[in-house]
Amino acid sequence: MSDSQPADAKSGALKAAHSLGLVIFPAFDWAISPTHPEREERLLYTQDQLREEGLFDIPGISEHRPDMADMADISRVHFCPPGFERIVEAPHLASAGSAISAGRLVLAGGCDKSFALTRPPGHHAMKVVQGGRGFCAVNIEAIMLERLRGEFGVRRVAIVDTDCHHGDGSQDVYWHDPDTLYISLHQDGRTLYPGSGFPNELGGPLARGATINIPLPPRTGDEGFLYATEEIVRPILDAWKPDLVINSAGQDNHFSDPITDMRLSARGYAEMVRCINPDVAVLEGGYSIQGALPYVNLAVILALAGMDFSRVVEPAWRDDLAATSTECMDYIRRLRDSTLTTFERPGNAASGHRFENGWFVRERDIYYDTDGIHEQQNERLRACENCPGLLLIRTRTHYSDWSVCIHIPRSACPDCASAGEERKREAERKREPWEFSDQRRDIYLRG
Amino acid sequence: MLAGLDVGGTFTDAALVDGKSGRCIAWVKAPTRTGAVLPGILESLERLLRESRADARTVKRLTVSSTLGLNALLTGNTRPVGVLALPGPGIDPALFWPRDPLFRVLPGAQDHRGRVTAAPDPKAVGAALESLKKLGAKALAIVCKFSPKNPELEKSLAAEARKIFGADTPIVLGFETSGSLNFPRRLHTAWCNAALCAVSRDFHRDLEKASRDLGLTCPIHILKADAGSFSATEALRDPASTMGSGPAAGLLGILAMARPSGTDSPLFGAADKYMIDMGGTSTDIALLAAGQPLLAREGLTVSGRPTLIRTLWTRSIALGGDSALRCKNGEVSIGPDRSGPALSLDPEQKDAPFSRPATLTDALNVLDIARVGDTHLSRHAFMRMIDDPACPPAVKNGQADPEDQSRALARLFLAGALRRIKEKTSEILEEINSQPVYTIRELLVDKKLEPECAMFIGAPAGALRAELEKALVLPVVAPEESPFANALGAALARPTKAAELYADTLLGRMTIPDFRVEKNIGSDYRLEDAGRDMSRAFAEAFRDEEPGQAQTVFAESFAVLDPSGRRGRILRIRSQYAAGLVLKGEG
């Protein structure tokens, strides 16, 4: 609600070049634990900063209430052998719902762009959810995207993840999806959680090249990030031509972030966002809640709205932080050449899968750091020439026995679909716990 | 007894009201003189006391709703204001401040917790002040970002300003204008207060003297845009809040007029309701939420300046008794332009063809819902419209009598007008009910505004009441038009106040900017302590009043962890005395 004379109240020179809808959901009454980095006060200062800037008086910038996501939204993306009711709480539904609301603002709400400033984050949540990983329970961008696909028929979508941590969850959800380009810029996995996201991770055997990883060395600053964005991300987006671009906007590359080691500034973030030019941005990490978030979020909002952000200078900024070392820049230049080459010709570079009787197979161990759970996975993808392929994931943890997750993708061919149906019947016959997801018909069952 | 004064553009109305029953004892109307409101006020007060033969000493309070401040701003009859702005990091103030040679942006900043992150540069401050003085600034506004959380920087600059400008120059600090966070609006609000200081001081001095001369011994209150009043002393410090009180007086007046004597109708209790005011050109819709006037989320906009002045929330549609009616390609359209008074009221329109379109009032005449002016002229206009090829064909279906056809056409226009109001009310509810929320609890327990009835005023209200009731599917009450409603509303206004409290135990600081309260706090300061401090601030400020308990709008406590690992709390409370009538059983 604005005031009684909305037209007059908005001052003249101040105007958003792109109309921007904001969904701000700080979840002031929820935390993982009182001292956890992902706690109540995380968006408090951001909210105060945005209010104090008079942001919502700017013509073209509007604030919107989030919808709650429901279990159908979650099960469109995830398998959850322990049962969603044991993992998913109201805050996760609210956070995913905020992302959905943001997406709808762009596709049906008359906004050019939108940004969901919400918590808790989601990009470490994988296709199978056995517990919490990296402060995430469910993947809020994927939940938004699958809802938008169902509602608006969006097909080719790029997710550009600018969180400092590799978005291994988002990568996993879309690993076998040739219609979703996942690009992650992050601090090198050899130096930071979750320890993945290397250039040779390029997507599953039937979606090669739809996953792009750009690991950057510790202490990369504005120059390095901008180079990587302009010289790697931009050309790939231009070539791939997505219908929709989503930014997983993690603000923890900031020089003041306590749990990472990068040197990006608020203005650097804003310039990066201007270059990526996303339609929808969704907040991910960022734990320098006083020194970074108010400024980075403000600068990113101004960049999304097409406004000047040059005066958003953090109190702790020092000019000597600006430089990115020569070695670092040399490394990023080499990374550009190799990344662009592999993107153009993903070829037969190893995908980590072995081929077995018409199936691509991989075995994985996944650790859920929030809950201390070890998961063992056996993943089988039907080597199909006509579609992304039926996906079968057998999973167990030290708490639970094997169960099978059957995933029929949105664009599955009839053969893959009937093979999936058959696998479900087999599980029922053998009394094996199963979950079944048929994206074509939007049907999600478990037994 | 209570006295109310409403200074309008044309008339100054005064009313004497029985404080217990809300009944109007006497009222008078005197012309408002251009350029000076005081003579009109004096004349109406003097006549009011004389004609009612009331003893001036029995008047317990005089409340004035005046356009003085607004007019002063609109006509530029204000002091030149020098502005010192300390924006710190963020949006460039040049983007929201009008071109102004007296506006100075200075280094020095506070962050979102109110910590000073950059000290002001004494040389730059001195130079700015000297140049403002040279350029003729007669009042100053000093505003720092996040000053409601810590007035330190503003105060230090004010001390410098005093040295250069002396003790008599009004200096308004952003901290004093409102506890709400919104730097651009705080700048504009402080600017308005600084600009109005002198004119407001003169007005109050004269008003005080004049009322004493008339034998009035009561406190003088001024009506605000939020439909509440405050003392003349407070008005001197915050003159901007008195702007835009006209609609507020009107709303209170309707509430008072609509009070059915001795009934306990749900219409007048705590129900949510619409207040629909149909004038000639537009229909304004305001809302009462749980019996209290709903206020705009941010504040009043005065001559292009968005401020933090609390004001009624209203929405308008370009639809009124004078809206032009037209047929286009077999469809009817109403407005958005105004055709002028109804044809039936226009002496120029005796000879057809009519030089302009018929109006909604003419349609009501045709339908016998209203009888305004020479209704024959209205009928005549409609006879011509049904002969127009653009007239909707449905009008002629199955009826040969042109009078029936005219009525059918008028019915279409009326239905269209009512549909517009209905659609606007739905839109308004959607807008209000989709306000953002910030906690899981609010998201789960979603309280929505649901009006149960509507109050309907304005010239066509009596005639249209039953029709609107059908269209809205809600009970609609149309209180009789009253020439003294605004003065009555002013007389019955209650004092209002909204205040925010910020406390940060790690910084050891608590502020309530709206009461200009600051204090040091210990690490054990809790929400209960903050609540007590807030109540005390209200009690002290309203010693002479009997407004009852302040409502708490929100009270939040955040666990805070410093980067160094120290734990503390940030507390935020917003409390208010809400607007309403002084009468018992209201609001």
Side-chain angles (χ1 to χ4, degrees):
Chain A
M1 189 172 69
S2 57
D3 70 344
S4 54
Q5 297 108 322
D8 300 350
K10 313 259 178 177
S11 354
L14 201 59
K15 191 177 182 314
H18 316 294
S19 64
L20 172 66
L22 297 173
V23 181
I24 301 178
F25 190 72
F28 282 151
D29 47 355
W30 186 80
I32 292 179
S33 73
T35 55
H36 196 281
E38 221 306 282
R39 63 183 182 267
E40 293 99 331
E41 66 166 320
R42 201 176 141 224
L43 290 178
L44 178 65
Y45 312 108
T46 291
Q47 191 194 45
D48 279 356
Q49 186 79 38
L50 301 184
R51 281 187 180 160
E52 179 69 346
E53 295 294 335
L55 196 77
F56 305 107
D57 286 331
I58 297 173
I61 296 186
S62 52
E63 189 185 2
H64 304 263
R65 176 190 284 241
D67 294 320
M68 285 290 261
D70 57 26
M71 287 303 174
D73 292 314
I74 312 275
S75 52
R76 207 171 279 128
V77 169
H78 293 294
F79 295 114
C80 186
F84 287 118
E85 64 288 348
R86 293 184 55 187
I87 306 280
V88 181
E89 296 177 48
H92 305 121
L93 295 174
S95 189
S98 303
I100 291 173
S101 300
R104 294 175 58 99
L105 284 173
V106 170
L107 288 163
C111 292
D112 297 334
K113 295 183 181 300
S114 66
F115 187 7
L117 287 120
T118 185
R119 53 176 286 266
H123 76 151
H124 294 302
M126 299 186 167
K127 183 95 196 140
V128 175
V129 174
Q130 294 276 17
R133 300 185 71 245
F135 317 165
C136 305
V138 293
N139 197 302
I140 58 177
E141 288 90 343
I143 290 167
M144 164 184 77
L145 174 51
E146 293 316 309
R147 168 81 168 260
L148 296 182
R149 282 186 159 141
E151 233 171 278
F152 302 101
V154 188
R155 194 169 155 225
R156 279 173 80 80
V157 176
I159 300 173
V160 183
D161 191 327
T162 48
D163 191 282
C164 190
H165 303 86
H166 176 232
D168 53 349
S170 301
Q171 168 168 305
D172 182 69
V173 171
Y174 290 110
W175 184 249
H176 295 296
D177 182 357
D179 285 332
T180 309
L181 172 65
Y182 177 74
I183 306 176
S184 180
L185 288 146
H186 49 263
Q187 185 177 324
D188 194 312
R190 287 167 295 192
T191 60
L192 189 69
Y193 178 89
S196 55
F198 298 101
N200 63 352
E201 296 166 32
L202 289 163
L206 300 181
R208 303 287 290 155
T211 296
I212 300 288
N213 280 296
I214 308 170
L216 299 171
R219 291 179 292 284
T220 300
D222 290 5
E223 188 189 356
F225 270 100
L226 271 176
Y227 182 88
T229 312
E230 286 166 4
E231 298 293 323
I232 311 178
V233 178
R234 191 69 253 166
I236 290 177
L237 287 176
D238 289 343
W240 204 77
K241 296 189 177 56
D243 302 327
L244 187 77
V245 177
I246 297 167
N247 177 209
S248 287
Q251 321 294 38
D252 44 4
N253 285 301
H254 194 260
F255 64 85
S256 68
D257 199 277
I259 60 178
T260 63
D261 193 13
M262 296 300 235
R263 288 196 173 170
L264 198 55
S265 72
R267 279 145 298 122
Y269 256 114
E271 283 186 48
M272 201 158 79
V273 164
R274 188 157 65 182
C275 175
I276 295 167
N277 193 24
D279 301 291
V280 184
V282 177
L283 182 70
E284 277 292 334
Y287 304 97
S288 170
I289 60 183
Q290 298 191 31
L293 285 188
Y295 309 103
V296 176
N297 285 326
L298 174 63
V300 165
I301 286 169
L302 294 176
L304 287 168
M307 296 172 61
D308 170 58
F309 47 77
S310 59
R311 294 189 182 224
V312 187
V313 182
E314 309 84 334
W317 174 254
R318 301 188 321 264
D319 286 338
D320 61 298
L321 290 166
T324 301
S325 72
T326 326
E327 293 119 293
C328 180
M329 286 309 294
D330 286 345
Y331 163 82
I332 301 172
R333 280 190 200 98
R334 287 197 302 275
L335 186 63
R336 172 194 63 173
D337 298 343
S338 59
T339 306
L340 291 182
T341 312
T342 357
F343 171 69
E344 279 160 26
R345 288 183 298 276
N348 295 323
S351 66
H353 299 71
R354 63 178 191 274
F355 190 74
E356 256 178 39
N357 302 326
W359 296 81
F360 295 103
V361 184
R362 64 173 175 166
E363 314 282 347
R364 293 198 298 163
D365 290 311
I366 293 159
Y367 182 60
Y368 293 78
D369 54 294
T370 310
D371 295 325
I373 295 169
H374 287 278
E375 181 196 13
Q376 206 181 334
Q377 272 191 18
N378 167 283
E379 186 199 270
R380 296 160 64 82
L381 178 77
R382 191 167 179 269
C384 183
E385 288 179 358
N386 304 314
C387 77
L390 169 69
L391 182 67
L392 304 174
I393 306 167
R394 293 184 73 234
T395 164
R396 75 164 175 188
T397 66
H398 53 287
Y399 294 117
S400 67
D401 209 350
W402 288 105
S403 64
V404 63
C405 305
I406 305 154
H407 174 70
I408 302 175
R410 193 173 299 280
S411 49
C413 68
D415 288 352
C416 280
S418 59
E421 300 275 359
E422 176 49 36
R423 184 64 183 86
K424 171 167 150 275
R425 283 192 292 275
E426 183 193 328
E428 283 170 324
R429 271 198 312 276
K430 291 184 179 165
R431 296 179 184 280
E432 179 185 17
W434 56 269
E435 282 183 73
F436 176 82
S437 128
D438 183 348
Q439 281 193 329
R440 299 170 317 152
R441 295 185 294 156
D442 205 20
I443 291 176
Y444 310 95
L445 305 166
R446 59 186 298 148
Chain B
M1 267 188 311
L2 301 168
L5 256 172
D6 176 56
V7 185
T10 325
F11 289 108
T12 298
D13 303 338
L16 209 52
V17 182
D18 180 90
K20 287 206 179 68
S21 67
R23 211 167 40 82
C24 181
I25 298 165
W27 63 276
V28 299
K29 231 176 192 17
T32 304
R33 313 264 168 81
T34 10
V37 294
L38 204 66
I41 292 180
L42 290 183
E43 185 188 334
S44 54
L45 269 183
E46 192 269 326
R47 274 178 49 203
L48 185 72
L49 292 170
R50 180 156 43 86
E51 290 173 20
S52 66
R53 299 206 192 101
D55 179 350
R57 283 165 306 177
T58 61
V59 177
K60 291 278 176 280
R61 183 163 73 204
L62 166 66
T63 307
V64 182
S65 162
S66 148
T67 50
L68 176 86
L70 190 59
N71 282 344
L73 269 196
L74 293 177
T75 56
N77 181 26
T78 54
R79 293 301 187 83
V81 179
V83 183
L84 300 184
L86 283 76
I91 295 173
D92 182 358
L95 292 176
F96 57 76
W97 198 262
R99 288 170 68 86
D100 180 354
L102 298 181
F103 186 72
R104 293 284 181 282
V105 175
L106 293 175
Q110 290 177 167
D111 76 356
H112 39 78
R113 275 175 73 189
R115 291 173 299 201
V116 177
T117 52
D121 171 1
K123 267 193 202 147
V125 173
L129 286 166
E130 291 290 356
S131 97
L132 289 176
K133 190 172 185 192
K134 203 176 289 169
L135 287 168
K138 292 280 182 281
L140 289 176
I142 300 175
V143 185
C144 177
K145 205 173 271 178
F146 290 110
S147 61
K149 298 195 175 192
N150 179 10
E152 190 181 323
L153 281 192
E154 286 179 357
K155 286 186 163 173
S156 72
L157 263 63
E160 291 306 308
R162 278 271 166 258
K163 290 183 203 157
I164 293 171
F165 277 81
D168 292 335
T169 305
I171 299 178
V172 177
L173 304 188
F175 168 75
E176 301 163 344
T177 61
S178 166
S180 299
L181 292 181
N182 191 317
F183 178 66
R185 282 180 184 266
R186 196 157 59 251
L187 268 168
H188 283 299
T189 313
W191 183 93
C192 287
N193 271 333
L196 292 173
C197 270
V199 60
S200 152
R201 192 180 50 209
D202 295 349
F203 173 69
H204 290 298
R205 192 188 50 219
D206 295 351
L207 179 64
E208 180 83 25
K209 182 177 180 304
S211 60
R212 298 299 165 248
D213 291 349
L214 289 169
L216 290 168
T217 53
C218 61
I220 298 175
H221 273 215
I222 312 293
L223 195 69
K224 301 185 291 179
D226 70 354
S229 69
F230 60 175
S231 70
T233 326
E234 281 180 278
L236 276 177
R237 289 198 296 203
D238 185 12
S241 286
T242 67
M243 295 190 289
S245 64
L251 182 130
L252 292 171
I254 302 159
L255 277 182
M257 300 295 301
R259 265 173 69 86
S261 45
T263 61
D264 261 337
S265 155
L267 289 181
F268 307 101
D272 298 341
K273 38 189 171 267
Y274 295 109
M275 307 287 280
I276 303 175
D277 182 354
M278 186 185 271
T281 334
S282 70
T283 299
D284 301 326
I285 305 178
L287 278 160
L288 292 178
Q292 292 170 356
L294 190 69
L295 299 186
R297 202 166 173 216
E298 298 292 351
L300 184 71
T301 295
V302 191
S303 83
R305 293 178 181 271
T307 70
L308 288 166
I309 300 163
R310 298 185 353 132
T311 186
L312 296 179
W313 186 94
T314 55
R315 287 286 179 272
S316 290
I317 8 177
L319 172 76
D322 300 339
S323 289
L325 305 182
R326 293 186 187 88
C327 295
K328 267 183 225 154
N329 308 324
E331 305 267 340
V332 296
S333 79
I334 308 134
D337 56 321
R338 175 177 182 272
S339 168
L343 295 176
S344 61
L345 286 173
D346 188 351
E348 309 261 305
Q349 304 292 336
K350 292 292 179 200
D351 304 312
F354 300 102
S355 62
R356 55 185 177 81
T359 67
L360 190 58
T361 305
D362 290 307
L364 299 182
N365 275 340
V366 170
L367 289 168
D368 285 323
I369 291 174
R371 284 196 191 80
V372 177
D374 182 358
T375 56
H376 175 76
L377 279 172
S378 306
R379 281 174 223 288
H380 194 89
F382 269 73
M383 290 292 196
R384 292 193 149 257
M385 282 164 86
I386 55 170
D387 286 339
D388 189 322
C391 178
V395 162
K396 298 187 179 165
N397 281 354
Q399 44 198 8
D401 182 356
E403 294 225 359
D404 288 341
Q405 293 179 356
S406 296
R407 271 194 291 276
L409 180 61
R411 178 61 53 197
L412 281 183
F413 281 115
L414 176 57
L418 293 169
R419 198 166 48 238
R420 287 263 298 282
I421 298 178
K422 169 73 184 158
E423 281 166 5
K424 191 69 184 181
T425 56
S426 311
E427 198 183 302
I428 281 171
L429 274 200
E430 167 69 28
E431 183 183 344
I432 289 178
N433 286 331
S434 58
Q435 273 185 79
V437 295
Y438 303 114
T439 58
I440 311 286
R441 193 185 58 77
E442 284 175 295
L443 203 58
L444 296 176
V445 195
D446 208 2
K447 197 205 165 290
K448 305 260 180 181
L449 196 71
E450 283 173 279
E452 292 170 29
C453 59
M455 292 206 188
F456 189 25
I457 53 157
L464 273 181
R465 191 203 65 83
E467 299 287 338
L468 186 66
E469 192 162 83
K470 269 186 266 168
L472 294 181
V473 206
L474 283 179
V476 174
V477 187
E480 248 177 72
E481 278 256 32
S482 153
F484 54 83
N486 284 23
L488 178 68
L492 292 173
R494 273 200 309 223
T496 53
K497 180 81 182 176
E500 302 204 29
L501 175 148
Y502 299 99
D504 189 323
T505 62
L506 285 175
L507 302 178
R509 185 170 52 223
M510 181 278 272
T511 57
I512 313 176
D514 303 275
F515 289 118
R516 298 156 163 85
V517 169
E518 291 170 66
K519 102 176 190 186
N520 294 329
I521 52 171
S523 59
D524 55 349
Y525 191 80
R526 289 286 177 274
L527 208 51
E528 304 83 74
D529 305 307
R532 255 195 309 278
D533 281 337
M534 187 66 126
S535 302
R536 197 172 301 137
F538 268 92
E540 274 172 25
F542 289 85
R543 256 189 310 243
D544 308 328
E545 306 289 337
E546 63 306 347
Q549 202 65 29
Q551 296 172 331
T552 303
V553 182
F554 60 74
E556 297 167 328
S557 167
F558 296 89
V560 172
L561 195 63
D562 233 333
S564 63
R566 285 196 312 148
R567 286 205 212 182
R569 307 200 76 77
I570 285 182
L571 312 170
R572 308 199 289 201
I573 299 185
R574 184 181 173 89
S575 298
Q576 63 174 6
Y577 285 145
L581 302 176
V582 285
L583 305 168
K584 291 262 177 309
E586 284 295 334

